[in-house]
Amino acid sequence: MANTAIKPVVTEEDLLIEEYGYDDHFHEHHHGDKYQSNFITTYIFSQDHKIIAKQFLITGMFWALIGALMSLVFRLQLGFPEENLAWLRPVLGKWITINDAGMGTLAPEFYYALVTMHGTILVFFVLTAGLSGTFSNLLIPLQVGARDMASPFLNMLSYWFFFLAGVIMFLSLFLSTGPFAGGWTAYPPLSALPQASSGSGAGMTMWILSLVFFVVSVLLGGINYITTVLNLRTKGMSMWRLPLTIWAFFVTAILGLLSFPVLVSGFLLLMFDRSLGTSFYLSEIFIGGQALDHVGGSPILYQHLFWFLGHPEVYIIILPAMGLVSEVLSVHSRKPIFGYRAMVYSILAIGFLSFIVWAHHMFMSGVNPFISNFFVVFTLIIAVPSAVKVFNWIATLYGGNIRFNAASLFAIGFVSMFISGGLTGIFLGNSAIDIQLHDTYFVVAHFHIVMGVAAFFGMFAGIYNWFPKMYGRFMNETLGKLHFWGTLIGAYAVFWPMHYLGMAGVPRRYYRFDSFEAFGQFSAMNQFITIAAIVTFAFQMIFVVNFFYSIWKGKKMTVRNPWGANTLEWTTPIHPGHGNWPGKLPAVQRWAYDYGKDGKEFIPQIKPMDEGETEAH
Amino acid sequence: MEAVVERAYGRNKIHPQKFALWVACGGILMMFAAFTSAIIVRQAAGNWLEFRLPDIFYYNTIVILLSSISLHSSYLAFRRGNTSLYRGMLALTFVLGAAFIALQYQGWQKLTAIGIELTTNPSGSFIYVISGVHAAHILGGLGALSLALLHAYLLPHKVTPARKLRFELTLTYWHFVDFLWLYLLFFFTMLY
Ligand code: HEM
Ligand SMILES: [Cu+2]
């Protein structure tokens, strides 16, 4: 048995697992060797959830860099519309047009393509696959006490469908007509008529193909996560003993399973409109002075189908971050999470409500104002479970013996961001106020702070915290703190001013503002935002260097449970092999948050209850 | 590997793979729920061509219902050890499934014949697209049935846990796509 040979040191964890654990005869079958015998099956077409998690993470980082660089290019355009961009020509080629005086300008079509790709990449590839894909894969089997996912094979397929989606999207960047340029929401008619803009042809075809593969990936992953959480929990791991991370991943997977298929339906109708002449979304359209023979379609129908996914999708992004933050805050403030059950119920409430608020993205699309009222009410009700969570995070920190390290700082930063961005959500949720704010920079500020930055903070908290579990080494703390402060200040500097732009009516997705009388006054503010974005990007480079340096050169982990955490993943060997635990599966005796109980700093979940001890919640 | 999984997680009441299939069916159902809600939303917007659904879609419902019954009796025969009924009913299910596809195709041709082409009006387009996507799911089921047929005719009739599981997965899926058609037909009948 190869796995036990790696770990000769016997620790208290081993003894507890040996005494109380559950013997599933896993290592008697040697099937681990069957599918992890050479380099390819171990690192590339791996079926081990821990490797798949790293694949999702590193692919996500790749996309985050691409997406962020795109944003820098269009920020340069917005901040410095008169500046010479000829130096970008080696990278962007013909999308930088050079006039007789040698002035290089960004082609307007490509500006739209960049904005569209930035949104698509960040929302789907980075904050869905890179976040939920990474941590659901890493933590679900480890924290519920399972050998692996319910179907390791489908799990592997999930990653490779994501990879395929990425390859297609990446190739579309190099089309001579450019990638899709109609916004990440792909509203018709720009998405439905190949002749509508240069990116609407081949670019859109590849965009839609890529996203369909992406949905397949999400569904394969989600089916696995749900099945694993419900069926493969180890002995003693009742639902009420699950760490909040698992609750969050579980509800996230359910949201994905119920909403992404709806997007596929919407896309399918779109494909018929594009290629086979149907008119689901198209009606009475003139293009280039010519009337098309599409009649009877409704572009609003697409918006309904899109946002029925789109809104749950924003919670698919934020819930995993919330789960990670809850865990990190509790561990590093050495206190039980405040209001565990309330946390679970708010996750469930947010999950449920997220399905009945989608039309708040359509207040200005001509939906019946009477119907809007219902959506206003449900939207504002979401603020209640969100506020419960914020209250509980702060109460968890309150009076705690907080360890201020990179992980916990990012978790605290998450709470700050979520409050700032959640408050502006309440403005937008009122359909009357939205008349002024819709499609302005106020919306851009809102969703970047509450979703973009907050989810990144949750992800960073997770990476700094679980890096030792992934690679057996620590990331550098000093660089981590520098990264945190740079990102916190930088992100606020980028997005805070956008609220003012939005309130003044500056519309989003415009190529330049200096030519508008009303918006020209904001050129200094736009320059400030662009510079802040560049600086913030530079701070992300610190993270990237720290990450890769630490994989090979970071401080080695010498004990299994460096943070003194209660959850099961820290009872595995420092380098867990296939099947995660070398011998029996650990049995769970208590919930995950016994910190500071009965004078003990922490009590791992595998420790049996003492005589007369009662469960804490 | 299946047997190993089963032993490893023997404490579970429902086999993880079966559970995963149910979850997947939930996802597929959402896809069709989206289609049917789309019909409602789109119909409310006006410019909606009224026509009568060709009868063939109703005959076809009988075919698919029969196929569910035959597959279920094949499954029961498989468990009882009645080899000839097991094989015969399985083959019959396959034939009925293939007949369903053929008849759907006839149905689309009927629609074209009465002037409802794919692009005539969204009301007709929906029928083509939705029944087409449903037919694709039936084709997937036929794939699973072909595998089951290979097993039935090539392997000796033995009720091992792995084979029972595989049969049950096929059976669940087939009943599901059958139910799905009833759901769609209900909508078509109500709205057209
Ligand atoms: C944690 C969570 C949240 C996330 C991830 C999130 C995300 C988003 C995103 C991505 C958009 C922009 C869509 C677009 O136009 O392209 C948006 C807009 C909006 N958000 Fe949020 N949001 C969150 C919280 C909230 C809350 C708490 C509310 C209300 C109480 C809210 C209300 C709105 C509304 C009404 C819009 C539409 C604004 C418009 O387009 O005019 N959001 N949100
Ligand atoms: Cu929303």
Side-chain angles (χ1 to χ4, degrees):
Chain A
M1 290 203 297
N3 285 312
T4 33
I6 302 171
K7 196 60 220 155
V9 192
V10 175
T11 64
E12 197 198 338
E13 289 101 335
D14 289 329
L15 296 174
L16 280 169
I17 293 175
E18 197 47 45
E19 183 170 355
Y20 300 101
Y22 168 74
D23 192 357
D24 59 354
H25 308 284
F26 179 78
H27 292 287
E28 287 160 26
H29 298 290
H30 294 284
H31 53 284
D33 313 325
K34 196 170 78 192
Y35 68 72
Q36 274 200 330
S37 47
N38 58 35
F39 181 81
I40 296 205
T41 48
T42 309
Y43 293 107
I44 300 177
F45 293 106
S46 171
Q47 300 191 17
D48 187 305
H49 70 102
K50 300 182 289 298
I51 298 284
I52 296 176
K54 293 178 195 171
Q55 292 176 326
F56 269 108
L57 179 58
I58 290 175
T59 316
M61 282 171 67
F62 167 80
W63 279 113
L65 283 175
I66 303 265
L69 283 171
M70 288 175 166
S71 76
L72 292 193
V73 176
F74 64 71
R75 264 327 307 182
L76 278 178
Q77 162 65 26
L78 291 172
F80 303 94
E82 298 295 336
E83 220 43 49
N84 183 355
L85 294 181
W87 57 277
L88 276 171
R89 204 175 154 88
V91 191
L92 298 183
K94 68 165 187 179
W95 300 113
I96 300 286
T97 46
I98 309 228
N99 68 7
D100 299 337
M103 254 290 281
T105 22
L106 183 66
E109 311 84 287
F110 200 63
Y111 171 85
Y112 292 119
L114 285 174
V115 177
T116 303
M117 285 297 126
H118 168 79
T120 308
I121 288 169
L122 266 293
V123 167
F124 293 111
F125 292 176
V126 181
L127 295 178
T128 304
L131 176 55
S132 159
T134 302
F135 286 101
S136 299
N137 264 303
L138 179 72
L139 293 180
I140 289 178
L142 283 172
Q143 290 194 332
V144 305
R147 296 293 182 191
D148 205 308
M149 287 289 177
S151 170
F153 177 70
L154 291 187
N155 207 29
M156 173 184 80
L157 282 188
S158 162
Y159 173 74
W160 287 103
F161 270 106
F162 167 46
F163 189 83
L164 179 64
V167 169
I168 295 173
M169 194 65 82
F170 192 74
L171 290 180
S172 87
L173 301 178
F174 300 98
L175 288 170
S176 68
T177 46
F180 180 54
W184 77 278
T185 52
Y187 283 178
L190 281 181
S191 59
L193 293 171
Q195 67 273 42
S197 77
S198 68
S200 302
M204 179 60 193
T205 304
M206 288 175 82
W207 187 93
I208 207 167
L209 201 65
S210 164
L211 278 202
V212 169
F213 286 125
F214 182 79
V215 173
V216 173
S217 157
V218 171
L219 295 180
L220 290 175
I223 290 170
N224 243 325
Y225 308 155
I226 295 172
T227 309
T228 308
V229 171
L230 287 183
N231 288 284
L232 304 192
R233 297 191 311 279
T234 185
K235 194 168 120 195
M237 181 63 96
S238 64
M239 291 301 272
W240 285 115
R241 283 177 175 172
L242 286 176
L244 287 174
T245 35
I246 303 300
W247 271 108
F249 301 147
F250 175 57
V251 175
T252 301
I254 295 176
L255 295 190
L257 184 83
L258 297 181
S259 63
F260 272 104
V262 175
L263 183 71
V264 173
S265 298
F267 281 173
L268 210 77
L269 300 182
L270 188 59
M271 290 186 214
F272 271 85
D273 274 7
R274 282 174 67 73
S275 327
L276 296 169
T278 54
S279 310
F280 291 110
Y281 305 134
L282 295 167
S283 192
E284 281 115 35
I285 298 213
F286 284 79
I287 240 179
Q290 269 212 310
L292 303 183
D293 47 5
H294 288 284
V295 279
S298 156
I300 305 283
L301 174 61
Y302 176 85
Q303 297 192 13
H304 279 296
L305 292 172
F306 182 86
W307 285 113
F308 188 86
L309 156 92
H311 188 82
E313 166 67 16
V314 304
Y315 283 96
I316 288 170
I317 287 173
I318 209 70
L319 281 176
M322 289 177 162
L324 296 168
V325 163
S326 304
E327 182 68 22
V328 169
L329 281 183
S330 173
V331 169
H332 292 292
S333 56
R334 314 309 287 150
K335 276 182 64 192
I337 190 84
F338 187 89
Y340 171 81
R341 280 188 187 238
M343 287 303 233
V344 173
Y345 288 127
S346 357
I347 293 177
L348 294 171
I350 289 176
F352 172 74
L353 288 169
S354 72
F355 282 106
I356 49 175
V357 300
W358 77 90
H360 64 214
H361 299 274
M362 300 162 60
F363 288 150
M364 294 302 290
S365 303
V367 294
N368 183 333
F370 178 73
I371 293 178
S372 285
N373 283 335
F374 292 97
F375 287 99
V376 170
V377 171
F378 290 131
T379 300
L380 297 184
I381 291 179
I382 290 208
V384 176
S386 309
V388 168
K389 297 195 75 78
V390 168
F391 180 86
N392 287 353
W393 287 318
I394 295 175
T396 303
L397 286 166
Y398 182 77
N401 191 4
I402 307 174
R403 292 196 285 237
F404 288 103
N405 50 25
S408 70
L409 284 173
F410 270 109
I412 296 168
F414 170 93
V415 179
S416 162
M417 288 292 166
F418 189 71
I419 296 174
S420 309
L423 285 175
T424 54
I426 298 179
F427 289 64
L428 295 169
N430 290 281
S431 55
I433 303 178
D434 195 47
I435 296 173
Q436 163 73 4
L437 296 177
H438 176 67
D439 263 351
T440 67
Y441 269 82
F442 193 88
V443 177
V444 178
H446 159 67
F447 68 77
H448 276 92
I449 291 185
V450 80
M451 175 175 76
V453 181
F456 262 107
F457 273 44
M459 184 145 112
F460 287 136
I463 294 173
Y464 284 108
N465 193 67
W466 278 282
F467 191 88
K469 192 69 259 166
M470 284 193 253
Y471 295 102
R473 290 170 187 267
F474 292 90
M475 287 180 72
N476 181 299
E477 265 303 317
T478 316
L479 290 181
K481 285 189 185 130
L482 196 63
H483 173 219
F484 167 73
W485 289 109
T487 313
L488 183 83
I489 297 168
Y492 270 127
V494 170
F495 295 114
W496 199 269
M498 289 188 188
H499 292 101
Y500 302 109
L501 294 178
M503 283 189 272
V506 180
R508 62 195 283 203
R509 292 174 172 154
Y510 272 33
Y511 170 66
R512 64 193 299 171
F513 295 110
D514 52 340
S515 39
F516 292 85
E517 184 104 30
F519 309 134
Q521 50 171 318
F522 294 115
S523 61
M525 199 183 263
N526 270 321
Q527 283 175 12
F528 173 79
I529 294 175
T530 299
I531 292 167
I534 295 170
V535 173
T536 315
F537 180 81
F539 275 96
Q540 307 318 302
M541 291 296 103
I542 299 179
F543 169 78
V544 174
V545 171
N546 191 355
F547 183 89
F548 287 104
Y549 179 83
S550 305
I551 290 181
W552 288 285
K553 295 278 165 63
K555 187 165 70 102
K556 273 204 176 127
M557 183 161 138
T558 49
V559 291
R560 286 187 192 186
N561 188 0
W563 309 129
N566 292 340
T567 39
L568 295 179
E569 75 272 28
W570 304 106
T571 66
T572 59
I574 290 176
H575 292 284
H578 174 67
N580 296 337
W581 285 270
K584 294 180 179 178
L585 280 177
V588 167
Q589 316 276 1
R590 55 178 73 239
W591 75 328
Y593 298 101
D594 274 335
Y595 293 102
K597 190 187 187 195
D598 303 334
K600 293 192 202 92
E601 199 197 348
F602 69 100
I603 315 177
Q605 284 190 282
I606 53 172
K607 267 239 172 85
M609 291 283 188
D610 282 337
E611 200 83 29
E613 189 187 351
T614 46
E615 195 142 3
H617 65 293
Chain B
M1 204 199 118
E2 260 155 33
V4 176
V5 171
E6 193 157 44
R7 207 171 320 164
Y9 304 115
R11 298 179 302 112
N12 294 299
K13 285 187 212 76
I14 172 164
H15 191 282
Q17 287 185 5
K18 248 193 244 172
F19 185 80
L21 179 65
W22 278 103
V23 177
C25 289
I28 298 175
L29 193 63
M30 279 312 288
M31 197 172 151
F32 285 91
F35 280 135
T36 49
S37 338
I39 302 183
I40 296 173
V41 171
R42 178 56 199 78
Q43 196 186 32
N47 189 353
W48 185 259
L49 191 66
E50 301 273 350
F51 61 91
R52 216 178 88 86
L53 199 65
D55 289 340
I56 200 156
F57 289 108
Y58 294 98
Y59 302 145
N60 223 353
T61 310
I62 301 173
V63 173
I64 190 93
L65 281 175
L66 285 177
S67 78
S68 256
I69 297 174
S70 62
L71 189 62
H72 212 96
S73 62
S74 165
Y75 169 68
L76 294 178
F78 164 74
R79 289 193 41 184
R80 264 187 277 114
N82 185 341
T83 309
S84 56
L85 193 63
Y86 157 47
R87 289 180 176 166
M89 280 300 181
L90 194 60
L92 178 64
T93 311
F94 187 88
V95 172
L96 287 171
F100 178 82
I101 299 277
L103 286 173
Q104 289 293 78
Y105 185 72
Q106 298 268 307
W108 298 327
Q109 285 190 324
K110 262 272 161 25
L111 274 177
T112 316
I114 59 172
I116 309 289
E117 290 177 30
L118 176 64
T119 58
T120 308
N121 183 279
S123 69
S125 315
F126 272 119
I127 301 271
Y128 284 101
V129 173
I130 299 177
S131 59
V133 176
H134 176 262
H137 285 81
I138 295 277
L139 282 180
L142 286 179
L145 282 178
S146 329
L147 206 67
L149 276 172
L150 280 181
H151 284 228
Y153 281 91
L154 297 182
L155 301 177
H157 186 168
K158 251 200 273 148
V159 187
T160 64
R163 274 180 76 179
K164 189 164 149 279
L165 174 71
R166 211 174 293 131
F167 204 144
E168 284 169 356
L169 292 174
T170 311
L171 183 68
T172 308
Y173 181 74
W174 194 258
H175 283 333
F176 169 72
V177 286
D178 182 350
F179 161 79
L180 205 56
W181 175 250
L182 290 181
Y183 167 83
L184 294 175
L185 192 78
F186 170 76
F187 266 89
F188 292 163
T189 317
M190 296 301 292
L191 295 173
Y192 286 86

